Amino acid sequence: MAHQNRLAPEKWLENYADYLYTYARLKLPSKEAAEDVVQETFLSAFKSAGNFKGNSSEKTWLVSILKRRIIDYYRKEARKHERNMTSYQLPFYDNGDYQNHWIEQRAPKSWSADEGLQFDEFHQILQYCLSLLPPKHKVVFIMKILDECTNEEVCEEVSISVANLWTIMHRARLQVRECVEKKWL
Amino acid sequence: MTYKKTFIKLMDRTMLDCAQATRLITKQLDDRLNLFEKARLKLHLLNCNFCYNFKVQSTKIDEILKMTPEKLAENFNETYQLEPGIKDKIKNQIPKNK
């Protein structure tokens, strides 16, 4: 029984390298970043094979290591660009009768990404739009998207409160959507 | 008179503005809404095309961001392959059996 879940590092590469790489390409802005992260994931998996409990599948285990590495990537990026904060003005009137209602020129137009969606193109636009988020917001955003950490862990990472977490996600989603619309239409 | 005033006050408290509505849409994508929030959001979306578009588009964006390799293969018939050179590099790091 104990041997049933034993790991076979020689098999990992064969079985999961392309899978992990595809996963990384989906979440990271460049081919190079994805290659680095996959290499780090394998090295870390080789080192910590002994910690594997066998209560999840090898694949799940490897993906969770990969996710942590992806978060690390954005964390490092955030540190590099700490000062590079671009401020985003919310697309709502901030006073007057229409306070907190959409500024018409910036309000979501009617479009759908389903019509003839070219995955590559849309994905590239998305990655570009993500790159415009303030670095700290990007870390928060990615951690929520990867769904690997609890809200408390995300908050601890960037020293914010849970209420603040939703404010950041709200701003980030407004900003990303607006950017995608500009590029896509 | 007072009934009318109370009614308007009550409606004001119940109706969301667009900033609040988009915040709830975000919360719905990232966490979950309680029944009261769901009802308020639904009411707002019936009356606001902008927020409705925001919801549809943000949901789509979320779907692409959360895309897994399985779904990519299934929906777009695409996979990425790690370059053989890099695979070799990793292979060299496999711990030798003792």
Side-chain angles (χ1 to χ4, degrees):
Chain A
M1 199 61 197
H3 290 279
Q4 212 156 34
N5 288 317
R6 234 181 55 184
L7 295 177
E10 321 80 54
K11 293 264 179 206
W12 293 347
L13 199 58
E14 243 175 79
N15 293 344
Y16 306 120
D18 289 335
Y19 181 88
L20 294 174
Y21 178 61
T22 304
Y23 197 109
R25 282 294 296 270
L26 286 170
K27 311 296 172 198
L28 290 164
S30 70
K31 178 173 180 283
E32 291 72 27
E35 288 172 350
D36 287 349
V37 163
V38 169
Q39 289 186 69
E40 288 167 17
T41 300
F42 276 108
L43 294 195
S44 155
F46 294 150
K47 263 188 217 146
S48 58
N51 300 335
F52 180 67
K53 300 283 189 297
N55 44 16
S56 58
S57 73
E58 277 179 349
K59 190 172 166 185
T60 312
W61 181 67
L62 288 167
V63 168
S64 81
I65 298 176
L66 180 74
K67 283 182 178 178
R68 299 277 170 176
R69 291 287 155 184
I70 292 171
I71 294 168
D72 270 351
Y73 169 88
Y74 284 103
R75 203 185 266 154
K76 276 183 215 149
E77 286 293 299
R79 246 181 260 130
K80 260 191 248 167
H81 305 288
E82 212 145 16
R83 285 163 179 282
N84 180 18
M85 293 286 278
T86 38
S87 69
Y88 172 72
Q89 295 286 335
L90 289 181
F92 307 113
Y93 289 107
D94 58 7
N95 57 46
D97 285 349
Y98 289 100
Q99 187 174 16
N100 289 335
H101 288 266
W102 293 95
I103 298 168
E104 288 78 4
Q105 304 90 297
R106 296 177 62 196
K109 298 182 176 62
S110 174
W111 55 271
S112 146
D114 282 325
E115 299 144 20
L117 174 63
Q118 293 290 320
F119 179 77
D120 276 343
E121 198 190 341
F122 196 75
H123 188 247
Q124 254 171 36
I125 291 175
L126 251 180
Q127 286 297 335
Y128 166 76
C129 292
L130 282 185
S131 76
L132 301 182
L133 292 178
K136 203 169 155 185
H137 291 197
K138 209 189 312 174
V139 176
V140 170
F141 196 73
I142 293 293
M143 285 177 95
K144 282 304 292 172
I145 291 293
L146 290 176
D147 197 22
E148 178 69 10
C149 308
T150 63
N151 291 334
E152 288 69 27
E153 283 174 298
V154 179
C155 294
E156 202 173 310
E157 167 68 33
V158 284
S159 1
I160 51 168
S161 66
V162 176
N164 223 326
L165 170 66
W166 301 126
T167 302
I168 289 177
M169 287 307 287
H170 184 209
R171 291 185 76 92
R173 287 195 182 273
L174 285 166
Q175 187 175 355
V176 168
R177 193 218 64 86
E178 192 174 2
C179 167
V180 167
E181 177 170 291
K182 267 193 208 146
K183 291 272 155 194
W184 181 250
L185 289 188
Chain B
M1 189 61 193
T2 38
Y3 277 132
K4 204 172 164 188
K5 263 191 189 160
T6 323
F7 180 71
I8 289 171
K9 236 184 194 169
L10 197 73
M11 283 306 282
D12 259 5
R13 290 239 181 106
T14 319
M15 293 302 280
L16 296 168
D17 59 43
C18 298
Q20 292 169 318
T22 50
R23 197 180 162 101
L24 284 189
I25 292 165
T26 299
K27 202 179 160 222
Q28 195 166 37
L29 287 169
D30 295 313
D31 201 37
R32 68 167 75 81
L33 298 183
N34 63 38
L35 274 176
F36 185 54
E37 290 170 325
K38 266 188 209 161
R40 293 177 87 194
L41 179 58
K42 214 167 189 177
L43 196 64
H44 182 91
L45 290 178
L46 280 176
N47 295 300
C48 181
N49 273 329
F50 290 151
C51 287
Y52 177 77
N53 289 343
F54 176 83
K55 184 181 169 166
V56 172
Q57 291 157 10
S58 290
T59 306
K60 187 74 205 174
I61 287 169
D62 205 55
E63 206 178 283
I64 303 272
L65 286 169
K66 289 181 180 160
M67 178 84 62
T68 58
E70 287 90 343
K71 281 197 191 131
L72 185 68
E74 195 181 304
N75 299 341
F76 298 96
N77 203 16
E78 238 183 296
T79 45
Y80 296 99
Q81 313 232 309
L82 190 60
E83 277 177 20
I86 300 198
K87 281 186 187 168
D88 286 340
K89 255 197 218 165
I90 298 172
K91 205 176 260 171
N92 291 333
Q93 304 283 336
I94 296 178
K96 302 278 175 295
N97 279 333
K98 286 155 208 161

